[in-house]
Amino acid sequence: MAGIHVVDHPLVQHKISLMRDKMTGVKEFRELTSETAMLICYEATRDLPMKEITIETQGIAKTKVISGRKLAFVPILRAGLGLVDGVTSLIPAAKIGHIGIFCEPGTHDAVKYYSKMPDDIAEREVIVVDAMLATGTSAIAAIKDLKEMGVKSIKFLCILACPEGRDALLAAHPDVDIYCGGVDESLNEKGYIVPGLGDAGDRIFGTK
Ligand code: URA
């Protein structure tokens, strides 16, 4: 049974506080998104399987390396792109798939408008990344899509979540662990996390 993991490390909390500030500009917000994603990814990869190897140094060292399946990151467009630099700075060999999903106004149905995955996605451990886990609609749809492609092991990583998104995602995909820097109070009627940090996509790309 999976659950939510809040990374309460002081560096993560400090950086999210700076991101929340309306006065934080595009350049700094983008850098903070990437740095925070990297720190959360450090925790999200804590359970990667390892194997012992023997190497020759000044003597013979029995030491460990990561083993098992290779990784892929899948950012949900658009805001998820802001996390990619950070997570790939930790795992540069990871492949990257992209998925674009929007919510139909009115019905709130998830509509996929773009998907491009590595050919071997089904053999990889996948970490889906997005800035915010708000209603959970996009995350739920992206993960459903990946499961239909045969992916067996999926985690979800975001900067901030809220109770509504957390509960919806865990109910839809009880096997998927969520890693984030905080769970804020609530979701407002426009689908924004409160207090949150505003529209993460606009703040990362400077589109407002
Ligand atoms: N997406 C955002 O960018 N911000 C929110 O608060 C919720 C969804």
Side-chain angles (χ1 to χ4, degrees), residues 132 134 191-193 198-201:
M132 310 294 267
Y192 283 94
I193 293 177
D199 189 305

